[in-house]
Amino acid sequence: MYRYLPASGAESTPPTVCVVAGDDAAPEVVRPTVEVLHELAPAIRFEEAISGREAVARTGEAFPAETRAAIDAAACTLFGASGGPSRPVLWYLRWGKLTAVNIRPVRWSPGYRSPMLHPECIDYVIVRDNLEGMYPPREGDINELHSLASSGSWWQTPPTDVVGSYAVRVSTDEQAHRIAQATCELALRRQAEGYPGRVTLGAKYSILPRTDGRFRSIVRETVQQHPSLTYQEFLIDDLARRMIAEPETLDVVVMGNEHGDILADAASGTIGGLGLAPSGCYGEHYAYFEPVHGSAPDLAGKGVINPTAMLLTGALMLDYLGYGEQARCLEQAIAAVYREGKTLTVDQGGQARTSEFIAAVRRLF
Ligand code: NAD
Ligand code: IPM
Ligand code: MN
């Protein structure tokens, strides 16, 4: 069963969460977030598993069997980010655990340092394919493509004397249906909360009819089965413009894997940056939670990285585990720190260190 919507209540047996802190500056936001979550929901057990350089030093492998076993045994995983060394863990969390749907909320809150004139109208959710498109990489030598020459394409007469590479972009109906269904369920839930119930699809259906064109048809037909929802679709490049020029028209925005990867970073820029953007990845049997941002190697060891994205990611995880009350408490404390504006990190125009921001949030529980 997919559970991208908050669980209605906690299970009677308290869950165990596997924590993989990741690389570079990621542990500097993961570990204090776990302390905050533990304070809010002491019943949840957090078990940190090693990865990356630390795991290589201790076991000889970046993704040791014990870490895989800890991920498998847990109700879900909280992941920092990979700067390279922990990438096998990220791969396992996505394609090993088939976490098909990536949900990336984009919402401005007073005090966020947005470059937009009217950031108060930014409140939508990106639903991103987490498994297909161009990731994971399937690349090869361009000369292997000769057998794929097809009429009507520039490749009709393949050159034989070139050096180059190709990348494959994959799209299955099964995954498109999963994404379409998640999009509709999310839009309906938001509509019940007062949002307009508007699904916006972005894809390159104009020039990729068999992949993006089919994705578009499946999403459109699925949305049209829900009479209360409205549907609009734009070519992905035009959607990028609309995210900046008219974000108030967006409610639930659905896109493919690499489009969602890129535009989620861009969307975070409209609310004030990567330090503010959470995400959750949901599969039929597993979920894991990571911020939109990467491992921020330029900030590693400085103690200044903004933990907001990771904390809000923790709130998404609390919702998933049925701890909705604690999730709201955490979100409200974060919002209050931003409203007050006295303890903000450098990316938000303040001078607070990561630990000072965390302390300010904890004072408000
Ligand atoms: P990045 O998101 O790590 O950083 C981009 C910029 O945003 C940097 O200037 C960084 O300092 C800033 N930034 C990011 N998070 C911040 C935060 N919480 N607070 C304040 N500033 C923040 O992206 P990048 O530099 O392009 O990539 C670094 C590494 O992360 C790469 O190895 C990349 O592959 C990896 N990455 C991993 C994931 C993941 O594990 N899911 C996601 C994205 C990037
Ligand atoms: C993200 C990251 C990853 C992605 C990379 C590290 C594979 O950028 O989670 O947004 O593109 O999915
Ligand atoms: Mn990304």
Side-chain angles (χ1 to χ4, degrees):
M1 189 189 67
Y2 286 93
R3 283 207 276 128
Y4 16 75
L5 306 183
S8 51
E11 304 269 334
S12 51
T13 315
T16 297
V17 170
C18 177
V19 177
V20 181
D23 306 324
D24 304 322
E28 297 173 43
V29 290
V30 172
R31 293 191 177 124
T33 294
V34 169
E35 283 173 28
V36 168
L37 296 174
H38 176 68
E39 188 177 342
L40 279 165
I44 300 175
R45 277 185 56 174
F46 291 92
E47 286 189 2
E48 186 166 339
I50 52 172
S51 74
R53 286 193 190 89
E54 187 189 355
V56 171
R58 277 169 53 184
T59 70
E61 289 174 77
F63 183 23
E66 62 187 81
T67 296
R68 180 178 169 149
I71 290 170
D72 289 347
C76 62
T77 289
L78 190 65
F79 183 69
S82 161
S86 296
R87 197 164 289 152
V89 183
L90 181 63
W91 260 222
Y92 184 64
L93 288 168
R94 288 194 189 172
W95 294 284
K97 306 304 278 182
L98 295 177
T99 46
V101 182
N102 183 196
I103 293 181
R104 297 187 152 182
V106 185
R107 183 168 62 178
W108 181 81
S109 193
Y112 283 11
R113 196 190 195 194
S114 165
M116 305 282 281
L117 260 185
H118 294 291
E120 65 282 356
C121 67
I122 306 175
D123 187 356
Y124 60 94
V125 178
I126 292 175
V127 179
R128 167 197 179 194
D129 162 22
N130 213 32
L131 297 181
E132 298 190 343
M134 299 200 78
Y135 313 153
R138 300 169 200 87
E139 297 176 310
D141 188 307
I142 203 162
N143 292 298
E144 292 167 19
L145 289 185
H146 284 227
S147 59
L148 293 184
S150 63
S151 60
S153 84
W154 68 270
W155 196 251
Q156 196 170 1
T157 341
T160 49
D161 53 351
V162 290
V163 175
S165 311
Y166 67 85
V168 174
R169 199 159 178 275
V170 168
S171 181
T172 66
D173 283 10
E174 196 186 11
Q175 174 66 354
H177 280 293
R178 282 192 201 107
I179 298 297
Q181 192 191 338
T183 301
C184 291
E185 288 180 13
L186 202 62
L188 289 168
R189 202 248 328 219
R190 280 169 65 89
Q191 192 171 42
E193 292 169 2
Y195 289 93
R198 182 183 302 124
V199 172
T200 304
L201 170 129
K204 202 73 186 175
Y205 44 81
S206 52
I207 60 160
L208 297 170
R210 290 187 61 177
T211 49
D212 278 22
R214 200 156 167 84
F215 180 65
R216 165 217 207 184
S217 304
I218 288 172
V219 172
R220 180 168 52 187
E221 282 159 23
T222 309
V223 177
Q224 284 169 351
Q225 287 162 18
H226 301 277
S228 73
L229 299 180
T230 55
Y231 174 79
Q232 53 182 3
E233 60 189 28
F234 301 108
L235 292 171
I236 192 74
D237 33 1
D238 183 33
L239 176 61
R241 177 190 65 79
R242 288 170 194 272
M243 281 171 36
I244 291 157
E246 44 190 64
E248 71 280 3
T249 62
L250 304 176
D251 175 15
V252 177
V253 182
V254 54
M255 1 184 161
N257 197 346
E258 66 278 4
H259 291 159
D261 177 24
I262 295 162
L263 291 190
D265 272 41
S268 86
T270 65
I271 60 166
L274 282 165
L276 307 167
S279 101
C281 303
Y282 305 80
E284 202 171 353
H285 305 291
Y286 205 77
Y288 87 96
F289 298 84
E290 62 176 349
V292 171
H293 66 73
S295 60
D298 50 332
L299 303 180
K302 297 184 177 158
V304 298
I305 183 170
N306 187 346
T308 306
M310 194 74 226
L311 288 167
L312 292 173
T313 297
L316 291 177
M317 190 186 77
L318 289 175
D319 270 333
Y320 175 77
L321 294 172
Y323 291 76
E325 206 177 296
Q326 290 85 343
R328 298 295 82 71
C329 177
L330 176 54
E331 287 172 351
Q332 282 159 18
I334 294 167
V337 171
Y338 277 95
R339 262 198 316 275
E340 197 195 39
K342 287 188 185 152
T343 322
L344 303 184
T345 46
V346 181
D347 59 309
Q348 298 302 307
Q351 292 180 339
R353 299 180 62 73
T354 309
S355 55
E356 291 165 335
F357 181 91
I358 293 277
V361 170
R362 289 176 96 158
R363 274 198 291 277
L364 293 166
F365 292 162

